[in-house]
Amino acid sequence: MKEIDPKQTKRAMAFELWMHTPMPMVTLFKTLDITHLLKVSRKCGYKFNMLMCWCIGMAASQIEEFYLLPVGDKLIQYDQLAVNTVTATKDGEINTCDVPFSRNLQQFNESYLSLTRQVHDTCKTHNLGDGYMVIGTSALAQYEIDGAVNIYAGFYNNPFMIWGRYKKRFLKSTLTISFQFHHTQMDGGHAAEFLARLQEEIKALKV
């Protein structure tokens, strides 16, 4: 990671407009067709949440804006991505776990299983530190929700995705997700492109 001059990037105007606004976060909603993802999960024994996180990483890795993030008053450039997942712990509480993204599904799966187990057993957050641009996720898989808007704390500017229980209708299964992002990092078009690529990654998943 390194600090870069916003004026030397395509986000120069966005940095000037949105860095000091009271509420710079934007949220988009999208309903995804996850029929294929569920089939892969059941056939290959992969956790559904892991597959979602991997597809999120795959889609994000194709969009350059995901490698930038406003941190404090600075614009930081990263060369690595991670996906954060909320994990249940053995004491009945929850904690968060950063999983480094890899385009290799098997490697990502191994990291996901190992690190989430570590968080479960130790009841402690696993944080990869400052070297990764982290995409946050939260799955409320036991509940049917139509969407969620995350809190804005003013110091956690990372993009964040939330989803609930998927819905099954005849031969098709769908999942409504919300995607929140800082307007300095990307515009609505970039976010919409990311969600479109996420759908493509889900449908194209091969193991």
Side-chain angles (χ1 to χ4, degrees):
M1 58 171 288
K2 63 180 180 179
E3 180 184 353
I4 58 175
D5 182 358
K7 295 179 181 179
Q8 304 302 316
T9 73
K10 293 186 289 185
R11 304 307 299 160
M13 185 177 295
F15 188 91
E16 183 176 344
L17 286 173
W18 304 111
M19 277 300 292
H20 300 292
T21 59
M23 180 56 196
M25 310 303 283
V26 181
T27 302
L28 298 186
F29 297 88
K30 184 177 178 65
T31 298
L32 300 168
D33 181 349
I34 59 162
T35 309
H36 179 62
L37 204 66
L38 286 171
K39 289 180 180 178
V40 172
S41 175
R42 292 163 181 162
K43 179 179 179 181
C44 301
Y46 286 125
K47 290 181 178 291
F48 173 80
N49 194 68
M50 184 281 296
L51 290 174
M52 274 292 296
C53 289
W54 186 76
C55 288
I56 288 168
M58 283 292 290
S61 69
Q62 301 171 51
I63 298 175
E64 62 180 305
E65 283 74 17
F66 273 88
Y67 292 89
L68 299 175
L69 188 70
V71 179
D73 292 326
K74 302 175 181 179
L75 189 63
I76 305 298
Q77 185 176 56
Y78 298 82
D79 57 10
Q80 300 180 96
L81 299 179
V83 182
N84 177 280
T85 182
V86 176
T87 302
T89 54
K90 67 179 182 181
D91 61 359
E93 300 298 327
I94 58 173
N95 225 317
T96 60
C97 179
D98 290 349
V99 182
F101 172 68
S102 169
R103 297 182 69 87
N104 182 300
L105 176 58
Q106 186 59 39
Q107 181 177 338
F108 182 82
N109 180 55
E110 291 174 1
S111 296
Y112 179 95
L113 294 176
S114 173
L115 294 173
T116 54
R117 171 57 63 180
Q118 174 184 313
V119 171
H120 173 273
D121 292 344
T122 64
C123 304
K124 295 181 180 179
T125 293
H126 179 262
N127 189 333
L128 285 171
D130 296 332
Y132 292 80
M133 205 303 295
V134 180
I135 305 164
T137 72
S138 180
L140 304 171
Q142 295 180 334
Y143 307 98
E144 287 189 9
I145 61 173
D146 294 323
V149 177
N150 198 24
I151 60 172
Y152 172 58
F155 57 85
Y156 183 81
N157 296 331
N158 300 59
F160 203 96
M161 298 188 68
I162 303 175
W163 60 86
R165 180 187 298 173
Y166 69 85
K167 299 177 182 178
K168 189 169 185 179
R169 298 291 185 271
F170 300 105
L171 299 178
K172 183 178 181 180
S173 297
T174 60
L175 181 69
T176 300
I177 59 95
S178 68
F179 175 57
Q180 178 178 281
F181 59 94
H182 197 293
H183 213 331
T184 298
Q185 182 181 25
M186 67 183 79
D187 297 323
H190 302 120
E193 180 184 357
F194 160 68
L195 295 176
R197 288 180 182 268
L198 174 57
Q199 180 64 85
E200 292 174 0
E201 291 296 335
I202 289 173
K203 288 188 174 181
L205 180 60
K206 295 180 180 179
V207 293

